[in-house]
């Protein structure tokens, strides 16, 4: 019997959150989803294989939140992250899975409800 909860992993750049906001890492249950938040020093630290490995391990949805490209502290970090997500999406499509299971979102000044809303949107909730 399949679990009704969607399993969503959210990687987010530490620069996209409002000062003082810290999402607790680990599993949080909200609206029929298990959401895991993972902070990155820059969204460019995410690797294509890591994204695909999560899907292989049974995660339903993955979202990477990075800075808008024009305001990325590391200049090209968001562009690299978006490219890696795009590559992972292409590989998912090639093996017959839905590309939308992995997504890149740009954001800035986000707080906990904003990031949770992005996760829930990714899960289709």
């Amino acid at each position: 019997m399949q679990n009704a909860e969607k399993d969503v992993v959210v990687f987010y750049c530490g620069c996209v959150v409002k000062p003082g906001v810290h999402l607790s890492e680990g599993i949080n249950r909200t609206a029929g989803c298990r959401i895991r938040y993972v902070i990155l020093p820059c969204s460019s630290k995410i690797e294509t294989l890591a994204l695909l490995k999560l899907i292989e391990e049974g995660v339903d949805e993955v979202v990477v939140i990075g800075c808008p490209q024009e305001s990325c502290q590391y200049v090209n970090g968001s562009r690299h992250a978006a490219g890696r997500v795009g590559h992972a999406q292409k590989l998912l499509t090639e093996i017959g899975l839905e590309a939308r299971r992995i997504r890149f979102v740009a954001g800035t000044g986000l707080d906990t409800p904003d990031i949770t809303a992005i996760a829930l949107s990714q899960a289709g909730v």
Side-chain angles (χ1 to χ4, degrees):
M1 183 172 162
Q2 189 173 351
N3 192 337
E5 282 186 315
K6 288 250 186 158
D7 191 13
V8 182
V9 176
V10 177
F11 293 97
Y12 67 98
C13 173
C15 296
V16 303
V17 295
K18 289 180 182 176
V21 171
H22 178 75
L23 287 98
S24 50
E25 295 195 21
I27 297 175
N28 298 287
R29 285 187 159 77
T30 305
C33 287
R34 286 187 314 256
I35 304 171
R36 287 183 277 167
Y37 301 103
V38 181
I39 189 170
L40 300 169
C42 176
S43 60
S44 70
K45 295 296 183 188
I46 197 65
E47 295 290 336
T48 302
L49 289 178
L51 296 169
L52 295 172
K53 182 75 171 161
L54 287 167
I55 299 297
E56 178 185 36
E57 291 174 352
V59 170
D60 296 302
E61 312 287 338
V62 179
V63 62
V64 178
I65 305 173
C67 303
Q69 289 186 16
E70 64 278 359
S71 63
C72 179
Q73 178 180 349
Y74 298 103
V75 183
N76 291 315
S78 292
R79 186 174 56 81
H80 290 304
R84 290 177 180 140
V85 167
H87 187 228
Q89 289 173 325
K90 180 180 176 222
L91 293 171
L92 285 179
T93 300
E94 287 177 7
I95 62 171
L97 297 176
E98 296 174 321
R100 67 160 207 78
R101 291 182 63 187
I102 301 174
R103 181 170 69 134
F104 178 85
V105 175
T108 187
L110 303 176
D111 58 18
T112 303
D114 296 327
I115 294 176
T116 299
I118 291 168
L120 293 174
S121 171
Q122 177 67 9
V125 175

